[in-house]
Every structure is written in structure tokens, then in C-alpha cells.
Amino acid sequence: MTPDAVHTGTFLFTDVEGSTRLWQEYPEGMSVALAAHDDLLRQAITRHNGRVFKTMGDAFFAVFSHATDAVRAAFAAQCDLRAQDWHEVGALRVRMALHAGEAEHRGDDYFGSALNRCARLLAAGHGGQALLSRAVEELVRYSLVDGLSVRDLGSHQLKDLARPEHVFQLAHPSL
């Protein structure tokens, strides 16, 4: 099967840190919290010109045509998540990763090494972080506004990837 098209975009992956434990401790509370989480993420992504192409449990996978939109969506989502009252669950700490590259677009999904790299970057993060690959940092370096900046975290060998990734963290006084 050949791909419908090759698409170059910026991918945003998210995941709730410790969700398995939270589901075990607060099954009813997590049901309510995850519905709010899903709404907040969808709104932040669509408000910044992104498209959710897949969800899996509490994980979101979105694509953007412009890296600056993806970074703004990640920042908005982190701010919205921090401001939300999660009641009995306490806090939902969401890790995020952004990587730009080419991917095969088949049907409503994307495949390829750009997504693998984004997934490995996500796995390296912790709740409350938004990590950027070197590719994204280079695209947004001179266009960050509203007090956004990036913190250089150095080069890291991510699991199963042949070459190390230079990792950056999205930074802002409210984060």
C-alpha cells in the first residue's frame, strides 16, 4: 500500500503522567477529569490551527502546518490545564512533545520516523513539560512571543533512535 501523500508538518503528542494510578485511585473522578482534559486539549489545538488526528486513552496526537501554531497550542494547553480545578484527582500533569518532519499520510492517520521521534521525545518528558526537538526549535527560534522562550536541555540519546536528539523545553514564567 502506498501512502496517500507525504506531509510535512509539526506534530504535537501529549500524555497524562501517572494516569494508570489515578484511574485506580479515582475511577469516577478520572472519568470527569479526562472529559475536561479532552475538551481543553481539543480547544487549544483547534484554536491554534491544529488538527487532532488520533487519540488513544489519555494521549492526543495532533498535526499543525506551522510550528509556531503548535508551540502556541502546547503553551495554551499547559496554561489551561494548570488553571483547571481537577477536584479529587488533584492535578493532571500532562507531558507534551513537538517534532517537525515528513510523515506518510494515510486515511486520517500519519506514519513514519517523524512520529517515532516525537513519541520517543514524549517518553523522555515528565508532566507539565513541553519538549521540542531541534527541528521545531529552529523553526520557532525567532518567532516566539508573549514571553515564551526555550531552555536548552542538551543532546539526548532517545530509546531506539539511531541519532541523538537535541532537546529543548518550552519556558514561560507561568509554567
Side-chain angles (χ1 to χ4, degrees), residues 3 37 61 84 92 128 139-140 170:
H37 159 274
F61 306 89
Q84 180 72 25
L92 282 190
L139 290 169
V140 303
L170 188 61

Side-chain angles (χ1 to χ4, degrees), residues 30-163:
M30 270 301 281
S31 182
V32 172
L34 200 54
H37 159 274
D38 292 357
D39 288 343
L40 289 174
L41 281 177
R42 280 187 196 284
Q43 289 174 24
I45 290 165
T46 57
R47 190 169 64 239
H48 292 90
N49 307 310
R51 182 176 68 81
V52 176
F53 64 88
K54 185 190 305 188
T55 62
M56 187 180 306
D58 56 48
F60 270 65
F61 306 89
V63 63
F64 296 80
S65 295
H66 302 284
T68 52
D69 288 340
V71 168
R72 288 180 184 132
F75 173 65
Q78 287 291 15
C79 289
D80 293 347
L81 289 162
R82 285 178 184 271
Q84 180 72 25
D85 181 1
W86 299 107
H87 302 288
E88 68 179 288
V89 174
L92 282 190
R93 296 179 40 82
V94 178
R95 61 180 149 233
M96 300 182 181
L98 298 106
H99 178 63
E102 290 184 341
E104 294 178 12
H105 185 210
R106 281 186 264 146
D108 290 332
D109 209 346
Y110 291 88
F111 303 88
S113 63
L115 283 85
N116 296 337
R117 188 161 289 274
C118 194
R120 292 308 186 197
L121 187 59
L122 180 68
H126 61 77
Q129 272 187 319
L131 299 178
L132 288 68
S133 67
R134 164 71 79 189
V136 172
E137 188 275 337
E138 287 177 353
L139 290 169
V140 303
R141 180 180 300 159
Y142 301 111
S143 58
L144 292 173
V145 295
D146 301 326
L148 287 172
S149 63
V150 292
R151 180 178 302 128
D152 188 336
L153 300 180
S155 187
H156 296 269
Q157 183 64 54
L158 303 176
K159 183 179 177 186
D160 294 333
L161 297 181
R163 62 180 172 82

